């Protein structure tokens, strides 16, 4: 028999794995072994801690993580030797993260990740408590996540997400803040370049970590504040969409949006799912951005309450809040949706690069224009919107579509009514091929976006593309018609074969 167990590229000495005499020295040895243990060993530790029985632990890692038989056997052998005792936890990821994760939640988290269960897990130099500590110290969490994704082992990604979650949910000196996790996201800026498969998968790993941390009794980490306004499972479902919107200083508008969404009984689709009937159209989103930029000087905030558009079963629902510089929105259908945000100067959006978010951006900007122009002048309602009873400071002001709104959307969809052309072109990113951008051009891009631009991307500032008559036509149109109805109608039209 071999004197070592080979697990995740590391050799475990069988003699050292024998249960030592209880002492301070042996306790320290086991703690050091757990700190440097790779993903398979950690899952073995967690399974033993959850079940207290090697046979049941092997069944757990095989059933929940699809570990091959030999890998499951060795992970439990090592895990049983270095585990520090039984813990009251139903799931392995819950044990590693230090929060209560149900079997249903764990299954959804694992399904969010890419790859398959390989014969061996990632090296401990890549996935272990020690590796996480090093990446946190060097602020390289995103790089660590991408390396784990490239390795291709899904159980290793799950273990890494749980280790990151344990640092987010803790109250000790070793904890990390959500803004550091947000900074590790590879692609949240809604530009012309979509995320690569590795970027998308690594962002899924980080939002899985944040979702687990949302189950902590300490609430949802929003940067400089923690939010306790909803039960753990609601926070868990919201978390993937919240993470891209976090800054070092928590926005009061983001808290207001979460409070309002919870009060209205709104929920969230899982990453990878879109709540809408159509596929995204970047042309429609850019049209709405151009419209908003052209009217920016007239887009004035008139209420501190959230504004809610109830929509219809085949349309979109939008819940909007804003602060001095940014707007935040829940956008969805049948009370299932996503979160996005945008600045109110250039109307650049950010959020997860997932199906539906480009479309959500178009609808959110359209509703923002309606709220800031026609409803500011007529808060009780317009030809397109009817204010309804039941609003509150927390949930917001209620609006429903009128027959005029429905007719406008149908006309745009069929081409019998076409919205006027915008007289402004919004600031945007342009790829230069093999060319290099100038420092002067890049200096005009917000740091939030510049950090995610490619080496051959440049920033193009807003520009006028139409004359006074074009501007007047758009102003007149928006005073009588709904920008949101235009967005939905254009999306309908783009989907007609």
């Amino acid at each position: 028999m071999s004197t070592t167990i080979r697990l995740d590229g590391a050799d475990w000495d069988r003699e050292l794995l024998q249960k030592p005499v209880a002492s301070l020295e042996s306790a320290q040895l086991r703690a050091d072994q757990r700190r440097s243990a790779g993903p398979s060993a950690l899952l073995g530790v967690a399974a033993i801690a959850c079940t207290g029985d090697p046979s049941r632990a092997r069944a757990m890692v095989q059933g929940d993580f699809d570990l091959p038989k030999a890998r499951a056997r060795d992970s439990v052998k090592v895990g049983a030797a270095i585990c520090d005792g039984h813990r009251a936890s139903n799931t392995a990821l819950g044990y590693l993260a230090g929060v209560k994760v149900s079997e249903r939640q764990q299954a959804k988290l694992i399904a969010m990740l890419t790859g398959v269960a390989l014969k061996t897990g990632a090296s401990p130099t890549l996935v272990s408590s020690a590796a996480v500590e090093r990446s946190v110290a060097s602020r390289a969490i995103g790089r660590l996540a991408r390396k784990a994704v490239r390795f291709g082992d899904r159980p290793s990604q799950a273990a890494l997400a749980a280790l990151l979650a344990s640092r987010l949910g803790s109250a000790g000196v070793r904890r990390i803040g959500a803004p550091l996790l947000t900074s590790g996201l590879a692609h949240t800026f809604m530009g012309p370049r979509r995320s690569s498969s590795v970027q998308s998968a690594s962002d899924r790993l980080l939002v899985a970590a944040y979702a687990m941390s949302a189950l902590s009794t300490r609430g949802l980490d929003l940067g400089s504040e923690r939010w306790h306004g909803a039960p753990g499972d609601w926070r868990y479902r919201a978390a993937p969409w919240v993470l891209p919107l976090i800054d070092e200083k928590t926005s009061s508008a983001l808290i207001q949006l979460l409070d309002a969404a919870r009060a209205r009984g709104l929920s969230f689709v899982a990453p990878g799912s879109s709540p809408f009937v159509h596929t995204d159209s970047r042309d429609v989103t850019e049209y709405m951005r151009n419209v908003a930029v052209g009217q920016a000087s007239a887009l004035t905030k008139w209420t501190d309450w959230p504004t809610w558009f109830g929509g219809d079963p085949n349309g979109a629902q939008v819940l909007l809040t804003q602060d001095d510089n940014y707007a935040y929105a829940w956008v969805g259908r049948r009370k299932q949706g996503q979160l996005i945000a945008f600045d109110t100067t250039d109307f650049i959006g950010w959020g997860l690069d997932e199906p539906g978010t480009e479309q959500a951006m178009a609808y959110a900007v359209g509703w923002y224009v309606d709220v800031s122009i026609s409803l500011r002048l007529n808060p009780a309602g317009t030809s397109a919107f009817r204010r309804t009873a039941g609003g509150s400071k927390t949930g917001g002001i209620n609006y429903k579509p009128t027959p005029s709104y429905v007719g406008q959307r149908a006309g745009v969809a069929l081409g019998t009514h076409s919205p006027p052309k915008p007289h402004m072109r919004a600031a945007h990113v342009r790829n230069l091929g093999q060319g290099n951008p100038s420092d002067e051009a890049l200096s005009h891009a917000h740091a939030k976006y510049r950090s995610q631009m490619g080496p051959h991307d440049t920033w193009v500032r807003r520009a006028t593309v139409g004359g006074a008559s074009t501007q007047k036509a758009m102003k007149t149109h928006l005073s009588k018609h709904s920008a949101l109805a235009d967005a939905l109608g254009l999306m309908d039209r783009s989907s007609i074969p």
Side-chain angles (χ1 to χ4, degrees):
M1 177 186 295
S2 172
T3 59
T4 60
I5 295 176
R6 185 76 172 171
L7 192 61
D8 297 342
D11 290 322
W12 292 83
D13 190 296
R14 291 180 184 272
E15 185 176 344
L16 287 178
L17 292 177
Q18 299 300 314
K19 285 291 184 183
V21 176
S23 67
L24 178 62
E25 182 181 4
S26 65
Q28 183 62 54
L29 171 64
R30 291 302 185 234
D32 290 343
Q33 289 174 324
R34 289 191 298 273
R35 181 175 173 274
S36 61
S40 298
L42 288 172
L43 292 175
V45 168
I48 286 291
C50 291
T51 65
D53 175 74
S55 179
R56 291 168 57 201
R58 286 192 296 273
M60 173 179 280
V61 294
Q62 285 184 277
D64 294 349
F65 299 94
D66 293 326
L67 260 62
K69 186 175 180 180
R71 182 179 170 188
R73 178 197 65 222
D74 290 341
S75 70
V76 170
K77 281 183 180 179
V78 173
I82 66 175
C83 183
D84 64 345
H86 182 68
R87 293 288 187 276
S89 180
N90 292 331
T91 59
L93 293 187
Y95 171 83
L96 294 176
V99 295
K100 291 185 178 179
V101 178
S102 70
E103 293 182 359
R104 175 186 61 82
Q105 290 166 340
Q106 177 175 268
K108 288 183 176 295
L109 288 165
I110 295 172
M112 196 186 300
L113 305 173
T114 60
V116 296
L118 304 176
K119 290 183 179 180
T120 183
S123 164
T125 60
L126 179 58
V127 178
S128 65
S129 294
V132 168
E133 290 176 13
R134 289 192 298 271
S135 71
V136 169
S138 60
R139 301 184 67 84
I141 290 178
R143 190 182 309 136
L144 180 68
R146 289 188 286 278
K147 286 181 178 179
V149 164
R150 289 190 182 98
F151 186 81
D153 181 59
R154 182 181 287 188
S156 297
Q157 295 175 46
L160 177 56
L163 292 175
L164 290 170
S166 70
R167 300 289 291 274
L168 279 163
S170 70
V173 295
R174 292 173 178 248
R175 73 172 297 272
I176 60 176
L180 182 58
L181 203 65
T182 300
S183 70
L185 293 172
H187 196 90
T188 59
F189 157 57
M190 292 185 186
R193 180 171 54 88
R194 301 308 298 265
S195 58
S196 68
S197 59
V198 170
Q199 288 176 326
S200 178
S202 65
D203 284 358
R204 290 275 190 93
L205 190 159
L206 296 180
V207 299
Y210 186 60
M212 276 187 271
S213 76
L215 295 166
S216 167
T217 56
R218 302 186 67 240
L220 192 63
D221 184 348
L222 297 179
S224 58
E225 297 183 35
R226 283 186 173 270
W227 185 71
H228 299 83
D233 188 61
W234 195 93
R235 300 194 305 263
Y236 155 84
R237 284 179 277 116
W241 305 104
V242 173
L243 184 61
L245 312 187
I246 292 175
D247 284 312
E248 291 287 347
K249 181 173 174 54
T250 304
S251 168
S252 59
L254 177 57
I255 293 177
Q256 187 183 38
L257 179 66
L258 294 174
D259 286 338
R262 172 59 183 164
R264 289 188 170 277
L266 304 180
S267 191
F268 304 88
V269 296
S273 300
S274 170
F276 307 114
V277 295
H278 300 315
T279 56
D280 293 348
S281 169
R282 182 156 186 82
D283 288 344
V284 175
T285 302
E286 287 304 298
Y287 173 83
M288 296 311 303
R289 289 187 60 234
N290 292 338
V291 168
V293 166
Q295 304 301 312
S297 61
L299 302 180
T300 303
K301 180 180 179 182
W302 59 270
T303 177
D304 290 327
W305 287 23
T307 49
W308 165 251
F309 176 70
D312 60 78
N314 294 317
Q317 298 171 309
V318 187
L319 178 64
L320 182 75
T321 63
Q322 66 180 111
D323 56 26
D324 292 337
N325 300 304
Y326 299 99
Y328 297 82
W330 176 100
V331 191
R333 189 172 68 94
R334 300 180 187 272
K335 292 193 171 185
Q336 297 289 318
Q338 305 167 326
L339 299 182
I340 60 99
F342 54 89
D343 75 274
T344 52
T345 300
D346 287 316
F347 296 88
I348 302 289
W350 74 95
L352 284 184
D353 186 10
E354 295 283 356
T357 52
E358 284 275 6
Q359 197 170 165
M361 175 68 181
Y363 300 151
V365 170
W367 179 235
Y368 176 84
V369 170
D370 288 335
V371 167
S372 302
I373 295 182
S374 61
L375 290 175
R376 174 172 60 86
L377 298 175
N378 302 283
T382 65
S383 61
F385 304 107
R386 177 173 58 88
R387 184 167 177 171
T388 61
S392 68
K393 186 175 182 180
T394 300
I397 305 170
N398 300 331
Y399 289 100
K400 288 286 188 181
T402 66
S404 176
Y405 171 97
V406 175
Q408 179 193 344
R409 176 185 173 183
V412 173
L414 296 173
T416 58
H417 171 76
S418 291
K421 293 182 179 180
H423 75 285
M424 292 286 288
R425 182 190 64 211
H428 59 281
V429 171
R430 177 184 296 160
N431 185 272
L432 300 176
Q434 296 303 312
N436 296 314
S438 69
D439 292 339
E440 192 275 335
L442 292 176
S443 69
H444 296 288
H446 192 288
K448 180 187 289 290
Y449 315 125
R450 191 165 62 245
S451 64
Q452 294 185 17
M453 292 168 61
H456 302 293
D457 290 341
T458 191
W459 184 262
V460 181
R461 287 184 284 175
R462 64 167 69 185
T464 300
V465 294
S469 60
T470 306
Q471 181 179 8
K472 183 178 180 180
M474 179 62 75
K475 184 176 181 180
T476 301
H477 174 78
L478 293 175
S479 68
K480 298 178 180 180
H481 301 286
S482 163
L484 177 55
D486 284 343
L488 282 159
L490 289 170
M491 200 69 71
D492 292 337
R493 187 191 298 182
S494 71
S495 300
I496 296 175

